[in-house]
Amino acid sequence: MLSFTEENYLKALLKLNFQNQETTGIGTNEMASYLGVKPATATDMLKKLKEKDLVNYEKYGKVTLTENGKLSALAVLRKHRVWETFLYEKLDFSWDEVHEVAEQLEHIHSQKLVNKLEEFLGYPDFDPHGDPIPKANGE
């Protein structure tokens, strides 16, 4: 089971790679800046994630997600977007309010809850912002 912080690093790495259309990876300083932490803090976490086979990381090199890391990051992103959809569609949160609450809810570890929530919502393809919701299998 991943910690709150580990999940946030994986999700950030996934987003940065996507935003930058990077195939070679992201630098530690870029990660640190994106997350609002010191480069040494980011380096320490990346070492931990490497030990768990979630990232490819070498000192002074670019960071990429392993296949396990990518699946874990997509799972967090999926939870986030399913929660945003639920908050928007069923609890009448405005689309600009859902992100902050979903940031907290995405760290719930019950896969059954997220699957049931997705089923309850009719298996939506997109969140309220128009972003695609990853499928449970990582697609």
Side-chain angles (χ1 to χ4, degrees):
M1 190 173 299
L2 298 174
S3 73
F4 178 93
T5 304
E6 290 169 330
E7 288 182 342
N8 282 340
Y9 270 77
L10 293 175
K11 188 174 76 165
L13 188 54
L14 182 73
K15 285 183 175 183
L16 286 169
N17 273 299
F18 182 75
Q19 286 173 353
N20 299 340
Q21 298 179 343
E22 285 289 333
T23 55
T24 59
I26 300 298
T28 304
N29 288 340
E30 187 177 359
M31 270 297 280
S33 176
Y34 181 82
L35 291 165
V37 300
K38 294 180 180 179
T41 302
T43 298
D44 288 344
M45 179 55 72
L46 292 170
K47 288 177 184 177
K48 290 177 187 176
L49 293 172
K50 180 181 178 178
E51 289 173 10
K52 293 184 176 189
D53 189 36
L54 297 169
V55 299
N56 298 306
Y57 168 76
E58 295 299 328
K59 192 173 184 177
Y60 306 116
K62 299 284 187 174
V63 182
T64 60
L65 291 165
T66 63
E67 191 58 33
N68 288 337
K70 183 178 177 183
L71 290 173
S72 295
L74 285 169
V76 175
L77 189 61
R78 174 177 174 257
K79 288 187 286 184
H80 180 94
R81 291 181 178 172
V82 168
W83 279 115
E84 282 187 335
T85 304
F86 175 74
L87 293 166
Y88 179 76
E89 289 184 4
K90 303 301 180 186
L91 299 183
D92 295 325
F93 279 71
S94 65
W95 73 270
D96 60 330
E97 294 174 310
V98 297
H99 179 74
E100 193 62 41
V101 178
E103 280 290 317
Q104 298 165 41
L105 294 169
E106 73 186 21
H107 300 288
I108 291 174
H109 291 284
S110 173
Q111 192 58 50
K112 182 177 181 178
L113 173 62
V114 176
N115 289 342
K116 291 288 188 180
L117 190 59
E118 186 179 38
E119 179 183 353
F120 176 74
L121 293 168
Y123 301 99
D125 291 322
F126 298 93
D127 72 7
H129 304 107
D131 295 319
I133 299 174
K135 301 298 177 207
N137 65 3
E139 288 181 24

